[in-house]
Amino acid sequence: MINDKLTDQQRVQLAQLEYHDWQVGETVQVDGLIIGQVGQLIQTENGFRATVVISGPHEVTVLLRGSSGIRKGDPTTWTNEWLRVNLPIGGAILNQVPTIPQEMWTAAQQFNKLLHQHPTCRFYVYGHSLGSINGQFALANCAAPDQVAGAWLYEGPNLYWLLGDSQRQIALDLRCQIFNYIDPRDVVALGYLDDQHTIGLLRVVDSLLMAPISQHMWGGYRFDSRGKLQLADSWGPHRRAQLDQQVIDRVQRLQRYRSLLNQELDEQFL
């Protein structure tokens, strides 16, 4: 299996390719290593996007696309990714209210559909930011856990607090197959109060301090000469609580901006 041979650094490089606009039939490569050919592109009306790579006769790689960002996204980015998913999820986690946006249910449905379409294949999943959100939820609703060989998720908030009992049990069954990476300096990766109440095995990065956007986009990650990611020795809940308060403040500011934006749009059509 090609995915089993990748280093930490190559896995991050592969996850970064989820933001590339692929075409069916294109070859996906990392460091000159062929991961496979794009077999399917998934894009739904509610914003869910994924690239399905056929890595071998019994190996499928799924790249779950993260938030495009307001500056780089198209006109639907603000609506589909931020207002409908990212901000509600942030508020739901902080208030522990199980509000699940439709895109996340779509992610679960599409992933289970892929598992059904390739019943003899082992699946490898990568996701960053919104891709991590969709990946966590899809895996917690996985209909065929035995087909999941591994998942590498980066810089997403902790969805564990929003799951029901049956979803938490599936997440527990898949715990050792899922690697959930967070940079403690990234304010987007909220809700990680300890290393047990998580989806997958929590991996805290020993990061460098960067500008906020760069911090979120793997900018603080460091690797040794063999491509191994440097991880923190211990988990600091006090530091995380401080960052979560920053997120609360940021969510409130963005929600106020959303209200002003909606008010301006209403006035334009009066």
Side-chain angles (χ1 to χ4, degrees), residues 8-9 12 181 205 221-224 227-231:
D8 294 339
Q9 190 168 21
V12 168
Y181 291 86
V205 178
Y221 282 39
R222 297 184 290 170
F223 304 90
D224 65 18
K228 184 176 178 60
L229 179 60
Q230 296 187 29
L231 300 176

Side-chain angles (χ1 to χ4, degrees), residues 130-243:
L130 178 60
S132 173
I133 292 175
N134 287 331
Q136 289 179 65
F137 195 71
L139 290 163
N141 288 275
C142 179
D146 290 344
Q147 285 185 251
V148 179
W152 291 265
L153 308 176
Y154 304 90
E155 304 310 316
N158 182 15
L159 294 194
Y160 179 88
W161 309 110
L162 306 186
L163 301 182
D165 290 342
S166 61
Q167 295 167 324
R168 289 184 180 183
Q169 184 58 53
I170 295 173
L172 181 62
D173 293 341
L174 287 171
R175 181 173 175 80
C176 293
Q177 281 92 290
I178 304 171
F179 301 91
N180 197 336
Y181 291 86
I182 65 165
D183 180 341
R185 302 177 186 272
D186 179 11
V187 297
V188 175
L190 76 158
Y192 295 92
L193 304 181
D194 56 56
D195 59 1
Q196 295 300 312
H197 298 88
T198 61
I199 298 174
L201 299 172
L202 183 63
R203 296 290 184 261
V204 181
V205 178
D206 183 14
S207 63
L208 296 174
L209 179 62
M210 310 292 289
I213 293 177
S214 179
Q215 199 85 54
H216 182 56
M217 300 301 295
W218 295 283
Y221 282 39
R222 297 184 290 170
F223 304 90
D224 65 18
S225 59
R226 292 182 291 182
K228 184 176 178 60
L229 179 60
Q230 296 187 29
L231 300 176
D233 294 330
S234 60
W235 171 242
H238 178 67
R239 173 59 178 161
R240 181 70 261 166
Q242 291 178 323
L243 291 177

Side-chain angles (χ1 to χ4, degrees), residues 10 16 34 56 71 74 84 90 96 102 107 127 131 142 189 195 210-211 214 257:
Q10 288 171 332
Q16 290 171 339
I34 295 178
R71 288 183 297 178
D74 59 33
R84 292 185 183 175
Q96 295 199 18
Q102 184 58 42
C142 179
D195 59 1
M210 310 292 289
S214 179
Y257 177 80

Side-chain angles (χ1 to χ4, degrees), residues 20-77:
H20 182 73
D21 291 326
W22 295 98
Q23 299 295 322
V24 172
E26 281 192 277
T27 299
V28 179
Q29 299 185 56
V30 171
D31 277 348
L33 188 65
I34 295 178
I35 304 301
Q37 282 69 44
V38 177
Q40 185 179 353
L41 299 171
I42 302 173
Q43 183 170 359
T44 65
E45 292 183 357
N46 59 18
F48 174 72
R49 298 181 68 177
T51 301
V52 182
V53 182
I54 307 302
S55 299
H58 301 291
E59 182 176 5
V60 176
T61 304
V62 181
L63 307 179
L64 300 172
R65 186 155 182 155
S67 301
S68 300
I70 297 174
R71 288 183 297 178
K72 294 184 179 181
D74 59 33
T76 66
T77 297

Side-chain angles (χ1 to χ4, degrees), residues 86-104:
N86 292 359
L87 292 186
I89 284 298
I93 290 173
L94 293 170
N95 298 305
Q96 295 199 18
V97 177
T99 301
I100 306 299
Q102 184 58 42
E103 180 177 333
M104 291 166 57

